[in-house]
Amino acid sequence: AQSVTQLGSHVSVSEGALVLLRCNYSSSVPPYLFWYVQYPNQGLQLLLKYTSAATLVKGINGFEAEFKKSETSFHLTKPSAHMSDAAEYFCAVSDSRDDKIIFGKGTRLHILP
Amino acid sequence: EPEVTQTPSHQVTQMGQEVILRCVPISNHLYFYWYRQILGQKVEFLVSFYNNEISEKSEIFDDQFSVERPDGSNFTLKIRSTKLEDSAMYFCASSGRRDSANSPLHFGNGTRLTVT
């Protein structure tokens, strides 16, 4: 069975600082991995996805994530945080045999002025 | 950009009552999903729907739950007799293809269901 674990339900960073949101996955087959973002009062929006091509994936709003098979990780980073990045971020996994996506518990990102 | 639309945004109901959560998926999408998120917990898969039938359902999706596509545009989730533990945010999603890698899910803004 597939699963993802997000370390830290809340992360606070200062504006301009590096953002690092951690995600580890478990999958018996090569996974597809996703990061979704949820802004207040909005739905889940796809930030980026890994689908077995390049291991470093660039997404919207300056975010990127690196797939590391040896560490079973897919951490999300952004070099410089903006106030507008404050949101909840969800790591998710699926595989080629299935269309449903399995989500992590989410990490709420707080940006400090 | 086309959006998935969910109504209402917030629904309050009494325990034992029936509720219907409504969704309008993106018009040319063929695969439809319901997920839910209990406060403080992970987003959980409930059910997927294709070609007017359920493709897959989770353990959560018991006999109290049903889904329907009553016309060409709406996709509904019905909870027949609500329980307190059904209180959650319910997300509808749709995609154009079964392949999640090349056709990611598009989510609605969610309906917050509160059962009192």
Side-chain angles (χ1 to χ4, degrees), chain A residues 38 43 49 94 99-101, chain B residues 33 35 56 98 100-101 108-109:
Chain A
Q38 184 183 23
K49 62 179 180 179
S94 73
D99 55 338
K100 73 175 186 290
I101 291 177
Chain B
Y33 308 82
Y35 285 77
E56 186 175 354
R98 190 174 187 273
S100 60
N109 286 354

Side-chain angles (χ1 to χ4, degrees), chain A residues 11-21 39 60-64 76-87 89 108-113:
Chain A
V11 170
S12 295
V13 301
S14 297
E15 192 173 17
L18 171 72
V19 175
L20 171 60
L21 304 182
Y39 298 104
I60 61 172
N61 302 336
F63 284 92
E64 61 183 37
L76 182 70
T77 60
K78 181 174 180 177
S80 177
H82 295 157
M83 296 300 291
S84 59
D85 294 327
Y89 293 80
R108 185 166 295 280
L109 177 64
H110 305 269
I111 309 298
L112 307 173

Side-chain angles (χ1 to χ4, degrees), chain A:
Chain A
Q2 295 179 304
S3 66
V4 289
T5 302
Q6 292 184 242
L7 298 177
S9 57
H10 292 266
V11 170
S12 295
V13 301
S14 297
E15 192 173 17
L18 171 72
V19 175
L20 171 60
L21 304 182
R22 298 177 188 275
C23 172
N24 288 89
Y25 70 90
S26 173
S27 178
S28 57
V29 298
Y32 298 146
L33 293 160
F34 309 83
W35 276 97
Y36 279 82
V37 60
Q38 184 183 23
Y39 298 104
N41 301 315
Q42 294 187 28
L44 296 162
Q45 179 183 353
L46 181 66
L47 262 183
L48 51 78
K49 62 179 180 179
Y50 165 77
T51 59
S52 74
T55 56
L56 182 63
V57 181
K58 294 187 185 298
I60 61 172
N61 302 336
F63 284 92
E64 61 183 37
E66 186 172 8
F67 172 72
K68 292 187 176 179
K69 184 177 178 180
S70 61
E71 299 178 6
T72 61
S73 68
F74 190 59
H75 302 330
L76 182 70
T77 60
K78 181 174 180 177
S80 177
H82 295 157
M83 296 300 291
S84 59
D85 294 327
E88 186 139 23
Y89 293 80
F90 295 91
C91 183
V93 63
S94 73
D95 68 45
S96 59
R97 304 169 304 176
D98 203 351
D99 55 338
K100 73 175 186 290
I101 291 177
I102 307 299
F103 286 88
K105 291 183 68 172
T107 298
R108 185 166 295 280
L109 177 64
H110 305 269
I111 309 298
L112 307 173

Side-chain angles (χ1 to χ4, degrees), chain B residues 63-113:
Chain B
D63 292 344
Q64 294 298 314
F65 290 88
S66 63
V67 289
E68 194 176 35
R69 189 158 162 80
D71 52 44
S73 60
N74 290 285
F75 179 52
T76 61
L77 174 68
K78 181 191 292 185
I79 308 175
R80 184 162 45 210
S81 177
T82 51
K83 303 186 285 287
L84 294 176
E85 53 265 38
D86 293 328
S87 295
M89 179 73 88
Y90 288 81
F91 292 105
C92 174
S94 69
S95 71
R97 292 167 53 174
R98 190 174 187 273
D99 177 5
S100 60
N102 293 304
S103 183
L105 303 188
H106 293 256
F107 285 85
N109 286 354
T111 294
R112 181 167 296 286
L113 176 65

